[in-house]
Every structure is written in C-alpha cells, then in structure tokens.
Amino acid sequence: MKKYLFIALAFLSFTLFAKNAPLISQHDFMAMQMSAKPAVVLDVRSAKEYADGHIKGAINISHDELSERLNELSQYKDKTVVVYCRSGRRAGIAESLMEKNGFNKVKHLTGDMNGWLKAELPVIK
C-alpha cells in the first residue's frame, strides 16, 4: 500500500511542478555554448550547492530568492536562458516565474545537475 501511495504522491508532485519550459539536452546545450549565441545559464540551487560544483558560466540565484532578484536577469528576457537545479523541481518553479515575467526563451536542462554529474561532464568548483 505504501508503495502505491508513494507512486501517487510522486506523480502528483510531478504534475504540480511540471516544467513548462522545453527541455534542452546536455549535448545540445554544450553545442549552444560553443556557438556564436551561447545561452545564459541559471543555477537555481543554494549557494552551497553551487560552490560544491556548477556548470561553467552559470549565474547562481536560488529559486527561493528569484522573485526578489529577477531584475538582475532582466537584460536576458529575449535571450535563451537554460535553467537547472539538482533534480528538476526547483528549476520548474523558477521557469514558471520567469515565463510569467516575460522571459521568452527559457529552457530546462535535461537531467539537471544529477544528470550532468552522471554523464561526467565538467563542473567548476
């Protein structure tokens, strides 16, 4: 019974925090970063998580501070902004907030930081 309750709650959480932003694969993201129009990278994890390792060039604004600090990103409203967190929930919250505030090209990094680390891609500490 507990197993089914867990599955139901997980599905409900996913539905509530489902990402509206389109996904961008790690491969496509890396190619974009080497192009003439690299994306802005937004890490919405905590400052400690960011310090423990982040994607090169990422701006760190925790998802729970984003509404107060959104003006720091206003110059990127018409640029591609790739958002990630540890596993996806916080990024989904941030993406919704950004889209409601006029950010037109928000994308979600497939796998977030967990996927990035699993793929053994480079991080900055």
Side-chain angles (χ1 to χ4, degrees), residues 51-64:
D52 287 343
H54 59 274
I55 295 172
K56 182 179 179 181
I59 299 167
N60 179 230
I61 301 177
S62 177
H63 81 288
D64 58 355

Side-chain angles (χ1 to χ4, degrees), residues 8-124:
L9 288 174
F11 179 75
L12 178 62
S13 295
F14 177 77
T15 303
L16 289 173
F17 297 107
K19 302 166 204 74
N20 293 328
L23 293 173
I24 184 169
S25 71
Q26 297 164 356
H27 178 268
D28 290 345
F29 168 74
M30 292 175 67
M32 180 180 283
Q33 295 310 88
M34 291 188 283
S35 75
K37 291 187 178 183
V40 175
V41 187
L42 180 61
D43 181 330
V44 295
R45 299 175 303 152
S46 70
K48 181 183 180 334
E49 289 172 299
Y50 180 83
D52 287 343
H54 59 274
I55 295 172
K56 182 179 179 181
I59 299 167
N60 179 230
I61 301 177
S62 177
H63 81 288
D64 58 355
E65 298 175 355
L66 188 58
S67 61
E68 294 87 34
R69 297 179 58 192
L70 203 56
N71 63 325
E72 294 175 36
L73 301 173
S74 62
Q75 68 210 34
Y76 306 122
K77 279 191 174 184
D78 294 319
K79 296 186 186 272
T80 300
V81 179
V82 176
V83 181
Y84 73 93
C85 64
R86 182 181 57 82
S87 62
R89 185 186 67 82
R90 294 175 284 179
I93 294 168
E95 291 157 4
S96 293
L97 176 66
M98 293 175 74
E99 289 169 346
K100 287 177 187 172
N101 283 279
F103 287 81
N104 301 316
K105 298 177 184 175
V106 178
K107 295 187 180 286
H108 187 106
L109 181 63
T110 301
D112 295 277
M113 184 53 84
N114 284 345
W116 190 264
L117 294 172
K118 186 175 181 179
E120 298 181 358
L121 295 168
V123 295
I124 305 297

